[in-house]
Amino acid sequence: RGKDEKYKVRMPKLRMVREYRDIRKSIDDVERNISKFKKSSEEKSRKMEKEEKLFRETFMYEKEIRVLGTATAERSVPSQRRADLPVTAGEQLDVIDAAQAHAVICRNSRGRYGYVLVEHLNFR
């Protein structure tokens, strides 16, 4: 033995009962999941704010964003222009404004905005 090891005191390792250890692990997991949820919701809200800002700039929309109703996409339609919203069949959309006779401004579940033709939507 070296000089340093000579004066080192060895502490016995404390052992926990298995049940307490499992309970403690589950509490730690819950705390971790809550923190992950908070982070993901913060990221989601930031992303939604960014999409809203982009929408206001693109469409020059000054009014308050209010949902007039909901609609379901009857078929999948890719976007032709930047202002168009690509939709998939069966997707739920929030109708924001009826700016034109043949198209409405909609928002999808991911927070993206764009024009969707009325003929592709099913209003309930």
Side-chain angles (χ1 to χ4, degrees), residues 1 9 11 24 26 33 38 57 60 63 76 81 93 97 105 112 117:
R1 288 188 173 190
V9 177
M11 296 294 289
R24 189 169 172 192
S26 66
N33 289 340
K38 286 180 183 176
E57 290 173 359
M60 291 178 262
K63 299 184 272 184
S76 298
R81 306 173 296 173
L93 301 170
D97 195 5
I105 298 174
R112 292 202 52 208
L117 294 176

Side-chain angles (χ1 to χ4, degrees), residues 17-72:
V17 178
R18 182 178 237 166
E19 296 170 9
Y20 295 125
R21 187 175 58 209
D22 292 342
I23 291 171
R24 189 169 172 192
K25 278 185 183 178
S26 66
I27 290 171
D28 291 343
D29 290 342
V30 168
E31 289 173 0
R32 286 186 192 128
N33 289 340
I34 290 171
S35 65
K36 283 182 184 177
F37 176 75
K38 286 180 183 176
K39 286 180 184 176
S40 66
S41 64
E42 287 173 4
E43 289 172 9
K44 199 172 195 179
S45 65
R46 271 192 250 124
K47 198 177 225 183
M48 294 289 257
E49 287 173 4
K50 185 178 177 184
E51 288 290 340
E52 184 179 330
K53 183 179 177 185
L54 183 68
F55 162 69
R56 287 188 183 280
E57 290 173 359
T58 305
F59 291 88
M60 291 178 262
Y61 197 81
E62 300 294 327
K63 299 184 272 184
E64 178 186 350
I65 296 175
R66 288 189 300 152
V67 177
L68 302 176
T70 58
T72 307

Side-chain angles (χ1 to χ4, degrees), residues 69-120:
T70 58
T72 307
E74 289 183 339
R75 61 186 81 112
S76 298
V77 181
S79 63
Q80 301 295 327
R81 306 173 296 173
R82 182 174 180 229
D84 293 339
L85 181 67
V87 294
T88 57
E91 184 178 8
Q92 291 285 330
L93 301 170
D94 295 331
V95 178
I96 304 299
D97 195 5
Q100 301 173 355
H102 63 282
V104 292
I105 298 174
C106 293
R107 176 177 62 198
N108 64 7
S109 60
R110 291 177 295 257
R112 292 202 52 208
Y113 295 86
Y115 286 116
V116 179
L117 294 176
V118 174
E119 61 193 42
H120 301 304

